[in-house]
Amino acid sequence: MAAACQLLHQQGIEKTTLAEIAQAAGVPPGNVYYYFKTKDEIIAAVVEARVQETLAMTAALERRHRTPKARLKALVAAFAQQGETVARHGCPLGTLCSELDKRATPPDPAVARLMRIPIEWAEGQFRLMGRTDAHELAFDLIANYEGTALLTNTFGDPEQLAREARRLERWIDSVD
């Protein structure tokens, strides 16, 4: 799964073959075909793996940080730490969602979870801060990150993501 996640992010869905995934994983192609009969099955597994990564990350933020504000700022910092990767390949979640939206088959409802999870988690943090506009604030936070990730990738400049992270941290401080 790690090889599939990495290759789909780096090369995109359409350019990645099951044989390439097998090679990157260091296993015979038959092993991949044994567990995943089609490319769509592997894509569904990658979506679920990304969902689980996001859930694990937000759970870790809750364990490590005592206040909602500190958790939100830590989320922004985690996004910023991906600057080099985002500059080369885009946001792992955003690019996957965008690619899946363009496929001929209707997207799996699980795909929307890729964006819904961080939005709903951030909304919960803003609610804990007493904000009645928590959903709008959470949506703005994730939209700002995703937009900046797109521009960071377009211009190949990880510093753009770092600058936006600093601005978002100040914005979170001002939300009280």
Side-chain angles (χ1 to χ4, degrees), residues 46-166:
V46 167
V47 168
E48 184 57 29
R50 293 292 189 194
V51 163
Q52 293 308 313
E53 286 173 9
T54 304
L55 291 170
M57 178 188 66
T58 56
L61 293 175
E62 290 192 30
R63 285 191 308 273
R64 290 185 192 128
H65 303 279
R66 292 181 22 191
T67 67
K69 185 184 286 190
R71 292 179 196 131
L72 288 165
K73 290 169 81 172
L75 176 69
V76 169
F79 286 157
Q81 287 176 347
Q82 300 180 64
E84 291 293 331
T85 298
V86 169
R88 282 193 304 274
H89 308 294
C91 169
L93 301 181
T95 56
L96 184 57
C97 288
S98 180
E99 283 192 70
L100 289 171
D101 185 54
K102 290 178 174 67
R103 296 195 84 211
T105 58
D108 185 328
V111 174
R113 282 183 71 200
L114 290 170
M115 286 297 139
R116 193 174 300 118
I117 290 168
I119 291 170
E120 289 176 354
W121 182 84
E123 180 178 350
Q125 301 309 307
F126 283 117
R127 280 202 196 294
L128 289 170
M129 292 170 62
R131 296 301 302 235
T132 58
D133 56 348
H135 180 73
E136 292 81 8
L137 292 170
F139 193 89
D140 287 349
L141 176 67
I142 302 306
N144 272 290
Y145 164 71
E146 287 297 335
T148 302
L150 172 66
L151 294 172
T152 295
N153 178 245
T154 299
F155 296 115
D157 181 8
E159 182 53 33
Q160 291 181 350
L161 194 56
R163 272 193 309 275
E164 183 62 9
R166 291 188 296 271

